[in-house]
């Protein structure tokens, strides 16, 4: 129970990597607040956490709205008196057009920025904390966008890693660690069309991408890394891009 008595807020926790992160933190003893727009799915996550002896609750949080993020973080701090762990994991599919470009910047860069901005004073006042943002392979390499409107995702993911490193440098003196988990090809809502292909996505993984471990990653494999980074086991890790990609970027 490496996160016993810790308070964790996971933004984007009702499915995918956010859900896995919430479940992993709860399994290690944290009280987890699920910040999401989907209350029904979040309640299902909470039921699973509670059934395993964990603690969790839902707070409506729209990652696309600054005021909603501000309200949630203030509410968590007021209710629990502290906020030890922030996980930025909101995400949603969108079209590769101009509107989609702006959507991705708002979702993957502005939302983590607003959340970090609000939580940093709380963590500084309480003597420390851990911020973890879900990045991507697109945080560290170019994406396969075919036109300029498709650059929103890699632009945001690159930028959020830059923000991670900068905040880690600025806030190390306050015992606040800031890291970015960069998943490879993981089974999630965003990749469902790929791994639900007739061959289960095997050709993509083994022939096109040549992932050394020769399989898709599971959301739980990201959640466990998030829980590790949130714990004191990672007490000397900050400002890092932690690649969880089956060896893809080793080439």
């Amino acid at each position: 129970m490496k996160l016993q008595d810790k308070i964790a807020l996971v933004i984007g926790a009702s499915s995918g990597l956010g859900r896995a992160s919430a479940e992993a933190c709860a399994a290690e003893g944290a009280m987890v607040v699920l910040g999401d727009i989907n209350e029904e799915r979040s309640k299902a996550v909470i039921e699973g956490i509670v059934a395993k002896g964990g603690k969790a609750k839902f707070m409506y949080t729209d990652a696309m709205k600054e005021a909603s993020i501000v309200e949630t973080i203030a509410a968590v701090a007021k209710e629990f008196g502290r906020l030890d762990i922030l996980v930025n994991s909101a995400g949603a599919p969108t079209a590769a057009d101009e509107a989609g470009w702006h959507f991705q910047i708002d979702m993957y860069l502005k939302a983590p920025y607003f959340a970090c901005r609000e939580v940093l004073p709380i963590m500084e006042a309480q003597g420390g904390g851990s911020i973890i943002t879900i990045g991507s392979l697109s945080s560290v390499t170019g994406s396969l966008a075919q036109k300029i409107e498709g650059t929103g995702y890699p632009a945001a993911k690159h930028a959020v890693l830059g923000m991670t490193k900068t905040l880690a440098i600025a806030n190390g003196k306050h015992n606040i660690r800031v890291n970015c988990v960069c998943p490879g090809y993981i089974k999630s809502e965003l990749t469902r069309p790929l791994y639900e292909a007739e061959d289960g996505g095997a050709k993509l993984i083994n022939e096109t991408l040549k992932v050394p471990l020769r399989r898709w990653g599971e959301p739980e494999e990201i959640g466990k890394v998030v829980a590790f980074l949130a714990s004191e086991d990672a007490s000397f890790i900050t400002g890092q891009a932690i690649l969880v990609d089956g060896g893809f970027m080793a080439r």
Side-chain angles (χ1 to χ4, degrees):
M1 305 295 280
K2 296 173 182 178
L3 301 178
Q4 188 71 44
D5 300 324
K6 300 292 185 182
I7 308 300
L9 168 63
V10 181
I11 297 177
S14 71
S15 64
L17 308 187
R19 174 175 184 161
S21 298
E23 291 171 340
C25 288
E28 290 292 350
M31 168 66 209
V32 181
V33 177
L34 282 69
D36 205 282
I37 59 173
N38 195 315
E39 184 171 4
E40 183 177 352
R41 287 197 309 193
S42 295
K43 285 185 175 179
V45 178
I46 291 169
E47 288 174 2
I49 288 173
V50 172
K52 294 179 180 179
K55 298 170 289 184
K57 69 172 297 181
F58 171 79
M59 285 191 183
Y60 181 87
T61 310
D62 187 343
M64 296 294 286
K65 295 181 179 178
E66 176 183 358
S68 183
I69 294 172
V70 171
E71 182 179 350
T72 292
I73 290 176
V76 173
K78 181 178 180 180
E79 179 171 348
F80 298 102
R82 59 188 302 110
L83 208 175
D84 303 289
I85 302 156
L86 168 67
V87 182
N88 293 305
S89 186
T94 188
D97 54 21
E98 182 127 351
W101 192 94
H102 289 282
F103 177 93
Q104 290 176 330
I105 295 297
D106 289 344
M107 174 68 76
Y108 298 115
L109 178 57
K110 287 187 177 180
Y113 163 75
F114 293 136
C116 289
R117 185 193 67 192
E118 295 303 307
V119 83
L120 282 168
I122 296 170
M123 290 183 172
E124 179 180 346
Q126 69 193 22
S130 178
I131 298 172
I132 301 138
T133 296
I134 302 299
S136 166
L137 291 181
S138 292
S139 295
V140 297
T141 188
S143 186
L144 297 177
Q146 299 299 310
K147 54 184 181 177
I148 193 167
E149 290 82 5
T151 62
Y153 184 83
K157 292 297 186 178
H158 263 73
V160 85
L161 178 56
M163 184 174 73
T164 293
K165 291 177 178 291
T166 303
L167 292 179
I169 293 169
N171 293 280
K173 60 189 175 185
H174 303 305
N175 194 34
I176 300 171
R177 296 183 296 105
V178 190
N179 290 291
C180 185
V181 176
C182 300
Y185 286 79
I186 309 294
K187 291 181 179 179
S188 70
E189 292 301 315
L190 296 180
T191 59
R192 184 177 295 277
L194 300 176
Y195 68 79
E196 286 192 345
E198 188 174 345
D199 68 345
K203 182 176 180 180
L204 174 67
I205 294 297
N206 297 320
E207 297 180 24
T208 304
L209 300 172
K210 295 181 171 62
V211 176
L213 288 184
R214 302 183 64 79
R215 66 175 177 84
W216 283 83
E218 299 292 340
E220 294 75 15
E221 293 176 297
I222 302 300
K224 290 177 181 179
V225 175
V226 169
F228 163 72
L229 289 172
S231 76
E232 286 303 305
D233 282 353
S235 57
F236 205 54
I237 299 176
T238 193
Q240 300 303 307
I242 308 296
L243 274 68
V244 188
D245 65 352
F248 178 78
M249 289 299 293
R251 291 178 290 119

